[in-house]
Amino acid sequence: MANTTTPHVPSDHLMGVYARAPLAFERGEGVRLYTAEGDAYLDCMAGIAVTALGHSHPKLVQAVKDQAEKLWHTSNIFRIPNQEKLADLLTAHTFADVVFFTNSGAEAIECAIKTARKYHWAKGNPEKIDIIGFDGSFHGRTLATIFAAGNPSYVEGFGPELPGFVHAKFGDIEALKKLVGPTTAAILLEPVQGEGGARSWTEAELKAIRQLCDETGTLLIYDEIQCGLGRTGKLFAYEWADAPPDIMAVAKALGGGFPVGACLATVQAAAGMTPGSHGSTYGGNPLAMAVGVASVEELVKPELLAHVREVAGYLNQQLSGLKDRFPDVVLDIRGKGLLIGVKLATPNREFMQYARDQHLLIAGGGDNCVRLLPPLTLTLEEAREAIGLMEKACEAAQAKAREETAGAA
Ligand SMILES: *Cc1c(COP(=O)(O)O)cnc(C)c1O
């Protein structure tokens, strides 16, 4: 009872893996989140690129309600019509021919890794197991995905390094070429790194990697869990480079807040995935698929993608202005579309607090970045508001930095 009457006394009974902000929300609408007291926050992180259509999008709400009253779960041993519909939708708009549905991004990556290894195994090359990943990448928190990304702070303490994961330097194509060898199965990368600090591969680099894969019989896996589904202003980030993968993981925006992920592949790359080789109890269940269909039907709209490009252009230009005006706070603006990284000279955790003080929610990121990942539906007016709040956060960070410099002198 105590917890329902005093919602702001945190419980001790959650595993302590998050350093949570002392803030809870009761409801959301569009780009706003509201606390139980009715305080409004401008949500420019969207649950880390998840609520791409904003909170309580009427079509998604309706899809959940309608499906909830009909059927929640059967099993993948039966046909699930909306799974077929969502797979048809996703393949119609991508390089892919086939889809496996999961409940999360990490599971979609797991499926991608398994698909790649099984492809080579089925072709009579069982020695091809190595997945080449890059520094600064993030692929989820399962054992395989932490070792695929290789972030030292995420693997520490979790036992021996899993075999079959190799790492290359972000952006170094020549070094990558030397790494590809007889045991290489696939190259795994985010076309625009999310957690790593919104670092984008160039179009020329992605083309070169595609060519390297073609020449060496290596599969190319993209992790578009964060940068995909409209976030960069194209439906998928790889479209900017015209360098499609063989396998791709998506999630986050796919369910707009309902847990759904998917592993997409060409029919050739998925050749090893035969009956019994993979599965999931919940993956692709009727509830998730109803929301997924509603969500993707919105996300593929050309006018939404054009809107993303317009708002992203505005935000980029304005943030560059802040960089010029606050050189001792903002060092760089990077990323693509509405996956925006602001590299800071002052600690990013402190900056996020200054933003929260202004009722602006932004995400952290590697390389001392903060990320702006607003709903794709953010209007120009709301973008202007976000810039105004970012400016105030910059002022606070600058004041703190100058105070510290004065103190040190
Ligand atoms: C969030 C994310 C994941 C992991 O997704 P989960 O649903 O948390 O498992 C993997 N890759 C990228 C690029 C992500 O942003």
Side-chain angles (χ1 to χ4, degrees):
M1 281 311 285
N3 268 347
T4 57
T5 50
T6 54
H8 290 295
V9 178
S11 164
D12 291 331
H13 301 294
L14 294 174
M15 206 179 271
V17 295
Y18 282 105
R20 293 174 198 268
L23 195 55
F25 299 102
E26 189 180 59
R27 68 189 175 88
E29 200 182 315
V31 301
R32 310 274 167 194
L33 280 169
Y34 298 90
T35 65
E37 293 75 33
D39 288 335
Y41 284 76
L42 184 62
D43 182 6
C44 281
M45 61 179 281
I48 316 207
V50 168
T51 50
L53 296 169
H55 300 280
S56 307
H57 188 283
K59 289 203 175 143
L60 303 196
V61 171
Q62 200 58 48
V64 177
K65 280 186 174 167
D66 289 348
Q67 189 61 43
E69 286 171 1
K70 282 194 282 193
L71 182 66
W72 290 21
H73 179 79
T74 51
S75 163
N76 280 309
I77 66 172
F78 303 109
R79 283 184 55 199
I80 297 172
N82 267 338
Q83 225 183 74
E84 296 170 22
K85 187 171 176 182
L86 186 51
D88 289 349
L89 251 176
L90 288 170
T91 53
H93 285 91
T94 62
F95 71 97
D97 306 305
V98 292
V99 184
F100 179 86
F101 289 105
T102 67
N103 312 290
S104 67
E107 285 170 280
I109 295 286
E110 292 267 350
C111 180
I113 293 169
K114 286 177 74 175
T115 302
R117 287 191 179 160
K118 199 76 191 290
Y119 162 87
H120 292 292
W121 180 87
K123 276 185 65 172
N125 299 310
E127 73 286 359
K128 288 188 173 289
I129 60 155
D130 290 339
I131 310 293
I132 302 179
F134 297 89
D135 64 282
S137 59
F138 179 73
H139 300 301
R141 297 293 204 137
T142 62
L143 276 170
T145 56
I146 58 174
F147 285 107
N151 180 337
S153 64
Y154 289 176
V155 300
E156 188 180 49
F158 292 115
E161 191 176 338
L162 292 190
F165 294 99
V166 175
H167 298 98
K169 194 167 171 294
F170 179 92
D172 190 342
I173 304 290
E174 290 314 308
L176 178 63
K177 284 181 179 163
K178 293 198 188 95
L179 266 184
V180 175
T183 59
T184 305
I187 293 171
L188 166 62
L189 64 89
E190 300 158 80
V192 185
Q193 287 190 342
E195 242 212 36
R199 280 195 300 179
S200 184
W201 290 87
T202 66
E203 296 176 24
E205 285 165 347
L206 289 183
K207 280 208 171 82
I209 294 172
R210 176 70 269 176
Q211 194 187 340
L212 173 64
C213 286
D214 290 342
E215 287 166 2
T216 55
T218 303
L219 292 175
L220 181 54
I221 305 172
Y222 286 161
D223 179 345
E224 290 228 18
I225 292 166
Q226 185 160 155
C227 64
L229 288 165
R231 174 116 334 246
T232 67
K234 298 250 191 202
L235 187 58
F236 288 100
Y238 74 79
E239 294 171 34
W240 289 103
D242 194 20
D246 303 291
I247 303 171
M248 180 168 78
V250 299
K252 294 206 160 101
L254 187 56
F258 198 95
V260 199
C263 175
L264 285 64
T266 63
V267 71
Q268 294 84 359
M273 300 302 266
T274 50
S277 56
H278 196 49
S280 168
T281 298
Y282 290 126
N285 80 59
L287 259 183
M289 293 299 99
V291 193
V293 167
S295 181
V296 172
E297 279 176 352
E298 291 301 308
L299 292 168
V300 298
K301 287 184 175 165
E303 58 270 29
L304 178 66
L305 300 173
H307 174 78
V308 169
R309 295 193 290 268
E310 185 189 4
V311 175
Y314 170 80
L315 283 175
N316 246 297
Q317 177 207 349
Q318 294 296 310
L319 289 169
S320 298
L322 292 183
K323 175 182 154 221
D324 295 340
R325 284 177 45 215
F326 298 95
D328 40 3
V329 178
V330 179
L331 295 178
D332 191 22
I333 309 299
R334 52 168 88 144
K336 197 150 200 154
L338 289 178
L339 200 175
I340 303 172
V342 179
K343 183 170 162 62
L344 297 168
T346 57
N348 61 350
R349 296 279 141 196
E350 280 179 23
F351 191 92
M352 286 161 70
Q353 178 59 52
Y354 297 138
R356 271 200 304 277
D357 293 343
Q358 299 300 325
H359 286 208
L360 172 70
L361 304 176
I362 53 178
D367 200 22
N368 200 41
C369 281
V370 289
R371 276 173 298 165
L372 275 72
L373 303 159
L376 308 183
T377 50
L378 186 82
T379 63
L380 271 177
E381 199 176 321
E382 289 157 348
R384 252 190 294 280
E385 187 185 336
I387 292 296
L389 302 175
M390 280 293 284
E391 181 180 352
K392 293 218 173 78
C394 285
E395 282 167 5
Q398 178 172 272
K400 173 86 184 303
R402 293 198 170 158
E403 206 176 283
E404 279 171 1
T405 322

